[in-house]
Each structure stands twice: as structure tokens, then as C-alpha cells.
């Protein structure tokens, strides 16, 4: 149970094998890649991601799938052919897709042509439906050489305006009408057609062109068109069948091609994680410790591959992903934890704590044997049929409700339904907990606060355990959620309980030692941390093997001028903050040499040297680490003794000696002032520290009070549940009408289960997140997400 152990893998080899490595890694479904460029030792490399050679294939496949309406699904790719020669495979896929592209457009063109004919016939039928006179012969109309005839529709509102144009050389006939339009014919001599057409156009006339296949009278033409339309619809069905037959014939092969092309395409995209240095690649990432051995064996057939396996968590340059592993009871509650945020690799998995406390609190607040059974059955259905994690949670909290419902003696709101069992079988005088008894109210509320106090102290203990894992002294001892906070909170609670029971607990030694002293330590938490940090820096200096053994000033054969004057090397002298020195371990594989000179609590003085070709790269790294370069004058580089004298003087003064030569060549050098001890522990000043910390302490004390009082809702909801069901039965008694009474009870139970069950579920989750998680859980991790593809084997 908890967080699974991870292994960090650094895979490197010849770039010619990169694609094979990526394919195996993706196919395994066990490897989560990380960007190798995040590691300083590979930051000088270049990205291995080039133009994806499978991109054009994917575009073709997606276009064809959209046109042929083929859902893209993975298929078994066996029998597809040899894929070891990827260039040949790409060419074969292009040839296959091009062959399909040449064939299937003919089917669609045939279908489109038929559809256009159907549209034309349908439009003609619609037009002819408005010709309600049967003495109009379209053959006679179209064959007239001297008259131009137009068929169309005119807005009804504009028909009256035609009277204005009575003197124009035209005639028009009304064929059909509705409130909006009048269908009509107008004709005129060929020489006047332009003017008349313009006149009707200005009146909103919409010309409807009669197709040339319309012959005879309107009824004859409509009968002929209907026959033709029926034939075209048969042709359309045949065209559709041809397309379906084509899709059925090619679909499986097409999807097998898609499967393996998608596989190669996605594997190639993994190159964005890879760094290439000359002709070698570096791929880094994580696998589960239990899968590491099996994963490494997958690469046994690739020659020249080097795989370094390192236990994860030893370095923080790349955050370690998290894989939760819990038992069957706890596992569904991972959904709630992931809603809040995944734990980091060094944290405690809060899922078991949440699972058991959530189940307990929900059962206490929603205790009813019947309602719990319904919740459990619904959860079982959701889990078995829908595979919903919420269903698994509902099953567990439903059983918890049943247990506490048994203790409360409540079954679907019937508070005395189990009295026969308690009295007749268990031999009790009454049920164990009488929720509605007047003397029980205060007991329930006090018990709820007690449960809350225990859970809050448990959260503080978890925070201390996490601090021990991280070796965080402040988190374990000084914080309000550490040992001091636990002493303060526990002492106040113990004293309050003792006072209620009539004992004198809050004596002066008790208050000063267990209440005031922890608060004072919490108040001065920041200055204490600054003092400890300063001591740790001195400890680093005195115990650092490199600094104590390899100081250049202690080497008798050291030649400092040679470092600065070599035609092949560049050297820099200066100092770096102690904190930044720790980060130099990240760059242990970079091409530079470090020569420590002297250390003090704030700075480490040293010389670093590197090849001329790497000068800019190394200067950039040290600049980012706040390295303060000090130029050594040329006169002081004539001998090693002169250089040592200058360096010692810099260290003694805590700044470079300001000489005329240095100023003229490098400009003014501003000396830095060392901070006093008081300034170190109060960087922002004591006044600012006191003001800010005072209000923070006020918030700490309030949070303890408010968090504890929040658990009153646990007892409150016990009473609310019983009260709501009492209202339901009161309404049922008021109706007193047989079937109606039963209906009220049933509907009331459904309402209470739905509304109160939802509210209780949310309130318990709120208690978990705000009152407990906020004290020990950072939720700053990322879930383990290995690359994988459902690729048919």
C-alpha cells in the first residue's frame, strides 16, 4: 500500500537505433519519458525531433476515413507485410492509399451525379405543382421563336404594382398563389425582353427556370418526372451499395495500415523527449521498480545500448511521477485524492487515511440501515455495470451507513424497527444509541468534536512523518503542524477535558511549558530557521571533502598564472553563494575544473577553468548560479605568489581590492557589505517580522479552533437525518389515507436519501480536504503516465 517505488532510466546509444528503442518503449506501456534537455549534462545537445516521416500518411488516412466514413479503430496488424524496412513500408503505404484514391472517387462522382438529377427532378415537381392550369403546353411555349416566356413567383404585395406598367408590351397570367407569393407566367416580344425582365426584377420577381426535360402539359410533365425520379432513386441506392461494398472490401486492410502507421507516428513523436549529442542519443524517464527488469530485457537485441538504472528520488532535477498502489478497499478513494492533487514521491499517500476516515464519518452522519443498503446496492450497480470509481466508494460508505444505522436502530426512518432484536435477542433494555433522546444531543456533539480532534492530531502526526522523510527540521518541530503545534493543541484539549471533569489542569507550569512555550517557538520559527541554516552552511564547509582537500592555495605545485594565460583554457576567479555551490552537483558532468580557495558562511571562493571552446557555455552556467567574477590584474598574474597574495587580500577584505589598474580596465567595483548576525535572522527587520508573525499566530490559533468546531457538523447531521425522517412520518400521519400514506413515506425516503446523502458526501469531503489535508498534504506531485498504445499484436 502507498506510493510505488520508481526507477530512473538513462538510455543512450547510437542514433541509428533510436526509432527501434522508441517503438519498444511505447509498445511496452511501462515507460514514462522525460525531457532529457532538463538535465544539465545533456543541455548542450540538440533535439532529435525532425519532420515526422509518417505525418503525410496520417493526413491521407484521416482524409480518406472522413470521406469513406470509416471510424478509425485499432486492428491486428499481422499480415500487413514487412515493417522492418520503414522507408520501404512508407512507400508501400503511399502506393496503397494512392490506389484507393484513384478508385473510390469514381463511386462518389457517380453518386453525386445521380443526386444532382434527383434534386433537379424534385425542384421541377415543386415548380410544376404551382401550375394549376392544364391547358399550358410547355412544348408550344418553348418552341415559339417570337415570344420570350418567363416562369416564376412574385411577392403578393407587389402584384398590385403591375397596374402602373399596363402600357408596357407584356402579358402575365396567374397560375397559383399563397399569402406570400403568386406563381405566374409573363411573356413579351423578343425585342422588349430586357426591359420587361428588368421591370419584373425590380418588383421582386424570382425566375424559376423550367428544365428542358419538361414536355407537354403540366400533368403530363409531372407524371413523366415522377417516373424518372423513381429510376434515379434506384440508381442512387445502387451507387450507395457500390460505395458500401468498396468500404467493406478495404476497411480491414485500411485499418491495419492505420494501426501501424499511427504506431510509428506516435513513436516518432517521442523524439521530442530525446537529446542527440553527435551520433548518440539520450532518452531518460521512469519505470516502476517492479517492471524495470522486464523492461530492460526488451532491448536485449539492440547492440551498443547502454541503460543506466538509478533509484528515483535521489535527485530533484526531474520530479518523480507517482503511482499509487492500494488494497481493494482503499483503491476507489484514489479518485478523491487525485481530485485534490497527487502526492509527491517523498510524501505519504493519504488515500488509506481518507478512505477509512471518509467511510467512518459518512456512516456516522448518515446512519440508516435501509438507506445504507440502497446506497450500497446503487454503488454496486455503478461499479459492476459502468465501472465508475464513485460506485466503489458508494458501496463502502453504504455498508458504513448500515453499521451505524444498526447502532441507531434506524431502518428507512423507522427509529424503533429493530427494538425486537435488541430486547429479544441481545437482551438490551433499548437500542444502543437513541438519537432523538434529549440527553443524547450534547453527547453526540461532544463526541463529534472529540473525533475531529483525534483526526486533526492524526493529520499533524502525518505531517511530522512527512517532514522526517524529507529531513525537514522546520516541518517536524517548529511549524504549527509539527511537534510544537501538536503539543499546544493536545495540551489545550487535555486541559479543557480535565477542567470539564472537575480537575485542575491549567497550572502555571503546565501552561508555560506545554502551551506558551510551543507558541513562542512557533512565533520565532523564522529566526530559528535562519540560525539553523547558518549553522548548516558552516557544517557544509567543514565537511565538504572537495573544499577541504583540493584548495588550490594548499597545493605546492599550483601554477595559477598558467591557468589564466594558457592558449587552450580560460579561467575565472570569484565567489558564489553557498546555496548555489550545492547546485553545482547538477553540473558534475560539465567540462570544467573547480579549484576551491576559501570558504565562509556566505560564500565559497574558487577558480574554475574550462576549454576555450566551452567558455560561453560555462560562463552562462556560473552566471545563473550568481557567480561574482573578480578580475585579477595582469601585474598580479606574473607569479603564483603574486596571484595568491591578491586572492588572499580579496578574501580578507571580503571584496576585491580597488586598484587603479582594475578600475581603469574593468570599471568601478562596488564593494559588498557583510550582513550582521541580527540582519541574517531578521532579513526584513524585527518590526516587519513581529507585525507579520503576530497576525500569522492569530490565524494559527483561529484555525485550530475553527477546524475543531467544524466537526460539530458530524453530530449535527446525525440529528438532521433523524429530524428529516420525523418530518416525513409526521406528514404521512397527517394524510392518514392508506395508500397515500405509504406513498408519502416512500417519496420522503427517496428525497432524504438523495438530498441528504449528497450533502453529507460533500460535507465529509470538505472535512477531509480543508480540516485535515491542509495540515499535512502538499498535493504537488504528478501521476505516473507511461506512454502506451492499444496496438494489435
Amino acid at each position: 500500500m502507498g506510493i510505488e517505488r520508481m526507477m530512473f532510466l538513462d538510455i543512450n546509444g547510437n542514433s541509428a537505433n533510436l526509432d527501434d528503442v522508441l517503438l519498444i518503449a511505447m509498445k511496452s506501456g511501462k515507460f514514462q519519458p522525460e525531457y532529457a534537455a532538463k538535465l544539465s549534462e545533456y543541455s548542450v545537445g540538440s533535439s532529435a525531433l525532425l519532420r515526422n516521416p509518417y505525418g503525410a500518411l496520417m493526413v491521407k488516412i484521416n482524409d480518406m476515413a472522413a470521406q469513406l466514413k470509416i471510424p478509425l479503430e485499432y486492428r491486428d496488424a499481422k499480415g500487413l507485410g514487412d515493417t522492418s524496412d520503414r522507408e520501404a513500408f512508407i512507400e508501400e503505404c503511399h502506393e496503397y492509399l494512392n490506389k484507393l484514391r484513384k478508385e473510390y472517387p469514381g463511386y462518389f462522382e457517380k453518386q453525386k451525379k445521380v443526386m444532382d438529377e434527383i434534386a433537379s427532378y424534385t425542384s421541377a415537381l415543386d415548380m410544376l405543382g404551382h401550375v394549376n392550369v392544364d391547358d399550358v403546353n410547355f412544348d408550344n411555349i418553348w418552341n415559339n421563336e417570337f415570344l420570350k416566356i418567363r416562369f416564376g413567383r412574385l411577392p403578393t404585395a407587389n402584384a398590385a404594382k403591375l397596374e402602373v406598367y399596363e402600357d408596357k408590351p407584356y402579358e402575365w397570367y396567374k397560375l397559383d398563389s399563397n399569402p406570400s407569393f403568386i406563381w405566374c407566367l409573363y411573356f413579351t416580344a423578343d425585342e422588349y425582353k430586357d426591359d420587361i425582365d428588368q421591370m419584373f426584377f425590380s418588383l421582386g420577381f424570382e425566375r424559376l427556370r423550367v428544365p428542358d426535360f419538361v414536355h407537354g402539359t403540366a400533368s403530363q410533365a409531372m407524371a413523366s418526372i415522377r417516373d424518372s425520379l423513381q429510376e434515379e432513386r434506384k440508381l442512387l441506392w445502387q451507387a450507395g451499395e457500390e460505395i458500401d461494398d468498396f468500404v467493406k472490401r478495404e476497411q480491414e486492410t485500411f485499418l491495419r495500415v492505420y494501426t501501424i502507421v499511427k504506431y510509428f507516428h506516435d513513436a516518432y513523436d517521442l523524439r521530442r523527449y530525446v537529446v542527440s549529442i553527435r551520433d548518440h542519443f539520450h532518452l531518460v524517464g521512469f519505470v516502476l521498480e517492479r517492471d524495470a527488469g522486464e523492461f530492460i530485457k526488451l532491448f536485449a537485441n539492440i547492440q551498443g545500448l547502454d541503460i543506466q538504472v538509478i533509484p528515483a528520488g535521489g535527485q530533484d532535477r526531474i520530479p518523480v511521477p507517482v503511482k499509487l498502489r492500494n488494497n481493494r478497499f482503499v483503491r476507489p478513494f484514489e479518485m478523491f485524492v487525485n481530485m485534490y492533487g497527487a502526492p509527491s514521491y517523498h510524501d505519504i499517500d493519504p488515500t488509506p487515511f481518507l478512505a477509512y476516515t471518509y467511510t467512518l464519518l459518512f456512516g456516522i452522519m448518515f446512519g440508516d440501515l435501509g438507506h445504507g443498503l440502497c446506497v450500497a446496492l446503487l454503488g454496486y450497480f455503478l461499479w459492476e455495470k459502468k465501472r465508475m470509481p464513485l460506485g466503489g466508494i458508494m458501496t463502502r460508505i453504504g455498508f458504513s451507513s448500515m453499521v451505524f444505522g444498526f447502532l441507531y436502530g434506524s431502518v428507512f426512518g423507522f427509529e424503533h424497527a429493530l427494538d425486537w432484536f435488541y430486547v429479544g435477542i441481545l437482551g438490551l433494555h433499548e437500542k444502543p444509541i437513541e438519537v432523538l433522546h434529549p440527553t443524547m444531543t450534547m453527547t453526540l456533539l461532544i463526541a463529534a468534536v472529540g473525533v475531529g480532534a483525534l483526526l486533526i492530531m492524526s493529520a499533524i502526526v502525518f505531517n511530522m512523518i512527512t517532514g522526517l522523510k524529507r529531513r525537514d527540521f522546520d516541518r517536524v518541530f517548529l511549524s504549527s503542524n509539527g511537534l510544537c503545534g501538536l503539543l499546544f493543541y493536545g495540551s489545550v484539549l487535555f486541559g479543557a477535558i480535565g477542567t470539564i471533569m472537575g480537575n485542575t489542569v491549567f497550572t502555571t507550569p503546565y501552561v508555560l511549558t506545554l502551551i506558551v512555550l510551543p507558541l513562542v517557538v512557533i512565533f520565532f520559527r523564522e529566526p530559528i530557521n535562519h540560525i539553523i541554516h547558518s549553522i548548516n552552511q558552516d557544517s557544509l564547509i567543514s565537511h565538504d571533502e572537495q573544499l577541504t582537500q583540493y584548495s588550490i592555495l594548499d597545493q605546492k605545485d599550483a601554477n595559477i598564472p598558467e591557468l589564466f594565460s594558457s592558449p587552450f583554457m580560460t579561467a575565472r576567479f570569484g565567489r558564489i553563494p553557498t546555496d548555489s555551490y550545492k547546485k553545482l552537483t547538477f553540473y558534475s558532468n560539465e567540462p570544467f575544473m573547480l579549484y576551491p580557495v576559501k570558504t565562509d558562511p556566505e560564500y565559497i571562493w574558487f577558480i574554475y577553468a574550462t576549454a576555450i571552446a566551452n567558455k560561453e557555455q560555462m560562463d552562462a552556467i556560473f552566471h545563473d548560479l550568481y557567480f561574482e567574477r573578480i578580475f585579477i590584474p595582469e601585474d598580479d598574474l606574473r607569479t603564483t605568489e603574486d596571484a595568491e597574495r591578491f586572492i588572499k587580500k580579496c578574501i580578507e577584505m571580503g571584496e576585491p581590492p580597488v586598484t587603479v589598474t582594475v578600475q581603469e580596465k574593468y570599471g568601478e567595483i562596488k564593494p559588498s557589505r557583510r550582513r550582521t548576525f541580527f540582519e541574517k535572522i531578521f532579513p526584513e527587520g524585527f518590526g516587519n517580522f513581529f507585525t507579520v508573525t503576530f497576525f500569522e499566530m492569530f490565524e494559527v490559533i483561529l484555525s485550530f479552533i475553527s477546524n475543531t468546531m467544524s466537526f460539530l457538523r458530524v453530530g449535527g447531521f446525525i440529528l438532521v437525518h433523524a429530524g428529516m425522517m420525523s418530518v416525513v412520518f409526521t406528514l404521512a400521519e397527517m394524510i392518514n389515507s392508506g395508500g397515500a400514506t405509504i406513498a408519502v413515506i416512500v417519496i420522503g425516503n427517496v428525497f432524504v436519501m438523495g438530498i441528504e446523502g449528497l450533502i453529507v458526501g460533500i460535507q465529509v469531503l470538505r472535512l477531509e480536504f480543508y480540516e485535515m489535508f491542509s495540515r499535512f498534504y502538499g498535493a504537488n506531485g504528478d501521476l505516473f503516465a507511461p506512454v502506451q498504445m492499444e496496438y494489435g499484436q
Side-chain angles (χ1 to χ4, degrees), residues 488-489 695-710 771 775:
F488 166 75
Y489 184 63
F695 287 104
E696 287 180 351
M697 287 298 300
F698 188 71
E699 182 183 357
V700 166
I701 296 173
L702 274 182
S703 69
F704 275 120
I705 297 172
S706 62
N707 290 166
T708 306
M709 291 300 102
S710 289
E771 320 304 341
R775 293 191 173 275

Side-chain angles (χ1 to χ4, degrees), residues 670-685:
K670 297 181 179 179
S672 58
R673 185 179 69 86
R674 288 178 176 272
R675 293 183 298 170
T676 65
F677 179 76
F678 187 83
E679 289 175 331
K680 290 178 181 178
I681 62 175
F682 299 109
E684 304 296 331

Side-chain angles (χ1 to χ4, degrees), residues 573-607:
F573 166 63
R575 64 184 183 179
I576 194 172
T578 308
D579 288 343
S580 296
Y581 169 75
K582 299 174 185 177
K583 299 176 183 177
L584 276 176
T585 56
F586 299 157
Y587 303 95
S588 58
N589 294 325
E590 296 293 351
F592 72 88
M593 294 176 290
L594 189 69
Y595 300 97
V597 175
K598 181 67 175 176
T599 65
D600 60 44
E602 293 187 43
Y603 293 100
I604 295 177
W605 304 72
F606 60 82
I607 295 171

Side-chain angles (χ1 to χ4, degrees), residues 107 111 234-246:
Y107 299 124
Q111 185 186 53
K234 291 181 181 179
L235 294 176
L236 180 63
W237 180 82
Q238 292 175 0
E241 285 292 303
E242 291 176 357
I243 295 174
D244 291 342
D245 291 341
F246 173 80

Side-chain angles (χ1 to χ4, degrees), residues 120-136:
S120 177
Y121 287 140
T122 303
S123 177
L125 280 177
D126 181 65
M127 288 188 296
L128 293 173
H130 296 287
V131 181
N132 55 10
V133 289
D134 204 40
D135 56 349
V136 176

